[in-house]
Structure formats: structure tokens, C-alpha cells
Amino acid sequence: MSTDGGDGVRCLVTGASGYIGGRLVPELLAAGHEVRCLARTPAKLRDFPWSEQVETVRGDVTDPDSTARAMADVDVAYYLVHALGTGKGFERTDREAAENFGEQARKAGVRRIVYLGGLTPSGVSERELSPHLRSRTEVGRILLASGVPTAVLRAAVIIGSGSASFEMLRHLTERLPLMVTPSWVRTRIQPIAVRDVLRLLVGAAELPPEVNRTFDIGGPDILTYRDMMQRYARVAGLPRRLILPVPVLTPRLSSHWVGLVTPVPASIARPLSESLRHEVVCTEHDIDGYVPGPPGGPVGFERAVELALRRVQDADVTTRWSSASVPGTPSDPLPTDPDWTGGSLYTDVREMVVDASPEQLWRVVEGIGGENGWYSFPLAWAVRGWLDRLVGGVGLRRGRRDKSRLRVGDSLDFWRVEEIEPGKLLRLRAEMRVPGLAWLELRMEQDEQGRTVYRQRAVFYPHGLAGHAYWWSVAPFHGVVFGGMVRNIAAAATA
């Protein structure tokens, strides 16, 4: 790492492929800092848009040699790794990793460690904490005793697309209008928006050298989990949820319940559920005296949810199905987030090699709809149009402006042309009445053998339980409708 970075701080980030780390790195770069990432598998960082702007060192926080190499010439070391799991020995692994990290930082002359831990309840002994929170507390204590000035930022639920806690909240609220829930829905929590977490993490790099302590960090709202679900529903435009807490649902049982209802993996749902039995509210806000607040103050819960849902509500979910997309804010999804984050997204993907040139195939695709039809099961399309008109939609009556040419913004039966790359891509956004958002993407490519490949993708983002029910009710017909569409478009291109 260069040592002539001017006013910039030389930072080491561990956990850069994770939820917080992947969003912290571009914030540090934007602040003018140099960044080095320590990664067990550097290849995992290649898909991040900032990958070419950082230095990457292969290694592991449990390995003294690789950690020592990563610490060379570093001013501030961010510790963002944690064994979020229930397997035997994870607390010991966390302990040994923190001890090694602190020791190597001290030997390398690192001037500060910054650690993001979990907010713990006041008045509760460490023995009573969930294993997840207990381990995070122990890691913070080890780093504070390392001999390197350390800032331990302790947060509760982080609100942002991709956060495991937020995704659990999202899926529970969207999928269940009526919930029989664990008693922890009455627990008071002080959530914080991910952009405020990142702001404080970046600001912690400039703390005075004498600061060696924990800081509680939270947003302006103190809510129960039930309150958060109701407010999420309001922001998402869902009906008010009926929530019935049941005391007999233990943390173990509730983690299985969460796993059944949501796609959040059980290995993550269980420690999160166990931690929710404790009230986690900030007891101090001392970090405000060191890191200036943003204009207008910290982000409130409902605004944080709005930001997390922004891409979907703006009818732009390309961050979920295009690896080339880049998030506009820390609240947006990253292409590298796990598949179970960012809300449910259903797809029907089909492709076929076509014995025609891309130009011939494009002429057929650009002429789709209106009098030309949709190249599959005309009766099914007609019935769908009639049903749409029956519930107040536009149906198929709009047709198309031009018989052979399309422009962005054109209406096309009950679709709207959202994007065109002539000869390559046509993307349509549905304007029919459906409980969610829908797109149809038609793409032409050439493979390594020079053959023309037609790729077709239907994408549906469900809105509430009705959206999920809608998708599964029509899914049995996709083979006839979308499968026939692929075959008939290919046949028309070769005619």
C-alpha cells in the first residue's frame, strides 16, 4: 500500500465481501482514503464495482502470517468479520480471530481498530445473552484490550436491503397478513439505517488516539418488532398486519418458524431470533460528539425502509437480475448480496439457439404485440387482456403505435417499452393490474460458436401475499405461454 496518500487514511477492511464491508469500502474511497482488503478468497471481490480501486491480500484473520502482511503500513483496521452461526466452536473461533487481529495490529503499529458489534441490553449479565451477542461482546472486549486504540460501535437491527435482520423483517411482513408470532415481537429495539452505520464507521477512522471505548449507535426511533412490521407494511403499501404473539414459541421454535416462512437460512435466522428476546436500546449517544451528524439528523425508521425499497418502488429491479448494475446508495442491493436478500423475485428464464441472424431475430422481436400478436396461445393472451379490463386495467386494446418499430416509452398492449438496445434487447414493463411489478425481457446474443441465441426472461416482484399467490397460480401455464413464445419467435425468425 502506498505511503504517500496525502490526507487520506490507509485502511484495512476485513469482511469486505459481506453486507457492511461491501458497502463500507466505497464510502472510505469516497472520503479519500486508501483501502486494502483482507480476503480468504479474493475472487469473491471481483464482482464489486470498486474491486479495481483497492489492494487485496489473501489471508484469514485466524492466520497470524497473512494478518501481519495485511497490517503493513495500515493506519486504521476495520474488523467486520463474525461467525454468525450456531455450530459448535464458533465462539472459540471468534475469540482466537480477535486475539490474533489485535496482536498483529499492535505489532504493526496500527493506530486504530474499528469494530462493528451488537448492541447489548443494559442490566443483563453476559451469561444471559444469546451465544451470538455474547460472542460479539467478547470480541469487542478483546480488541479494546489489545493495546491498540479501539472503537467498538454497537448496533441493533440495521435497516437496508441485504441486511439479514432487515430481510427477516421484510419477508415476515410481506408474506403474512396474519401472524402468530413469538413473544419477542414485543421487544423494544432501536434500529439504525445502514447509511448512518457507514457514516459512523468512516468517521471513526478520525477519532482522537486517546479514545478506546464502546459506542452505542442507533437511529431516532425506539420501536417494538411489532411496530416495525406495521410501519414496514405502511411504507410498502400493504394492509395493516394482524399480529398475535404466542409465548410458547421459544427462540429455537421461532427460528424454525422464521425459516419456514422466509428464505432466510436457518443458520442465520436462529441466532437473530435468539438475540431478539433482549431489549436493545442505546444508553448513550456519545459518538455524536466525535462524528458530525448528517444534515437533517439521522435517518428515521420509515425513511430507512423507503430507501431500502426505493429500487422496487421506482420500478427498477435491475440490481437483482443484472450483474452489471451498481447501487446508487448504501441502502440499495448489491449484485453480490445473497439470493435471499432484496425481497422475493420470481423469474421464468428460457433460451434457444436460432438458425437465423441476430438481425432477422430482432425484426420479429421488435414487431411483437398488437396485430402481430405474442407468438403463443392467442386465447391465453386474450383471456388475460379481458380479465385485466374487467378489473379496470388497460387490457390489450392499446395495440402499438407503429407496426414494425418501437421506441422507449411506447405502449404495447398492456406493456410499456422500458428499454431498447436495437438488435440486442427489448425490455417491457407490465401495466396490467397485477399484485406486484412485472417485466418481460427479450434478448439476442451470439455464443462462442457464432450462433444466434434468443434469451427470454419474465421477472415478477410480488406485492404481499397476494403477489406470491398470483405467481404460483399462473406458473403452471408458463410452459405453454412462455415456452411457446420462445419456439414460435425462433420459427418466425427462420421463416
Side-chain angles (χ1 to χ4, degrees), residues 220-239:
D221 302 303
I222 298 174
L223 307 164
T224 66
Y225 205 88
R226 183 209 298 252
D227 293 334
M228 290 197 293
M229 287 192 285
Q230 296 291 17
R231 292 194 182 195
Y232 178 100
R234 183 162 61 244
V235 172
L238 298 169

Side-chain angles (χ1 to χ4, degrees), residues 262-326:
T262 80
V264 178
S267 60
I268 295 175
R270 182 174 176 183
L272 291 178
S273 299
E274 289 176 339
S275 301
L276 287 171
R277 71 176 185 262
H278 302 297
E279 182 175 283
V280 279
V281 175
C282 296
T283 59
E284 47 84 10
H285 297 277
D286 295 350
I287 197 159
D288 295 343
Y290 295 97
V291 181
V299 179
F301 176 79
E302 292 192 12
R303 177 58 179 159
V305 173
E306 289 176 357
L307 291 169
L309 300 181
R310 180 176 66 90
R311 283 296 176 97
V312 171
Q313 292 179 338
D314 286 351
D316 179 6
V317 295
T318 54
T319 51
R320 296 293 314 285
W321 41 291
S322 171
S323 60
S325 53
V326 179

Side-chain angles (χ1 to χ4, degrees), residues 241-268:
R241 276 23 204 160
L242 182 58
I243 301 171
L244 304 174
V246 178
V248 296
L249 279 175
T250 64
R252 179 185 293 271
L253 287 175
S254 66
S255 68
H256 291 307
W257 172 76
V258 170
L260 179 66
V261 173
T262 80
V264 178
S267 60
I268 295 175

